[in-house]
Amino acid sequence: FYLRGLFLSDKSSEEALRKSLEFFERALDKDPRFARAWTSIAKSWLWLADAYVEPLEAYSKVREAAVNAINIDDSEAEAHVYLAETKRILDWDLRGAEAEYVRAFEIDSNSTTSNYFIAAFYAAIGEREKALTYLSRTAKIDPTSLWVSNFACEIYRYFGLTDEAMAAGERSLQLDPTFLYSEPLL
């Protein structure tokens, strides 16, 4: 159930994301202490909040699932990332968010998710070099990720790196021209 949910949680449609939640919940029915399932529930709700569900509703579910995962296994790096996102979005607690992002990175420096979100955080607060460093790490860890290519396009464009933004956008389109979050190339 977990693997089926994981596959769907990387899709961009509301239907796939909601179905992923069903699979993760079925995994938890079998083992309520399966921290990775809780982390993945947090992930699915995070992406649902991005396009389909009211953020206040979705982010409270992200926080609940992330906290459940961390309570079971504090070394669950991605759960710290999703908790950081709730601190940033719901609480406007940038210091608390940064501490959670850093904790996630310390736990697993090779996690796409940890590098991806800490790069976004540093970009959002204007720390260009830190953002680009983590972005570069993310692209090396997971070069075929649509999410990473799309994100790279956004960050490079944000920092005025047009050639890099175009290359990342083109890579996203090559990987999947129907990807919901693909950035325009112009």
Side-chain angles (χ1 to χ4, degrees), residues 89-117:
I89 299 292
L90 290 180
D91 304 334
W92 290 69
D93 177 6
L94 296 183
R95 284 194 178 125
E98 182 177 25
E100 290 294 335
Y101 293 126
V102 168
R103 173 78 175 118
F105 182 80
E106 288 171 348
I107 292 168
D108 187 357
S109 62
N110 288 318
S111 161
T112 299
T113 304
S114 297
N115 282 277
Y116 174 100
F117 279 96

Side-chain angles (χ1 to χ4, degrees), residues 56 77 85:
L56 287 177
E85 280 293 285

Side-chain angles (χ1 to χ4, degrees), residues 141-152:
I141 293 167
D142 197 354
T144 63
S145 169
L146 286 163
W147 294 103
V148 171
S149 293
N150 175 68
F151 172 64

Side-chain angles (χ1 to χ4, degrees), residues 147-161:
W147 294 103
V148 171
S149 293
N150 175 68
F151 172 64
C153 181
E154 291 179 41
I155 296 301
Y156 288 138
R157 190 175 62 208
Y158 175 74
F159 288 124
L161 301 168

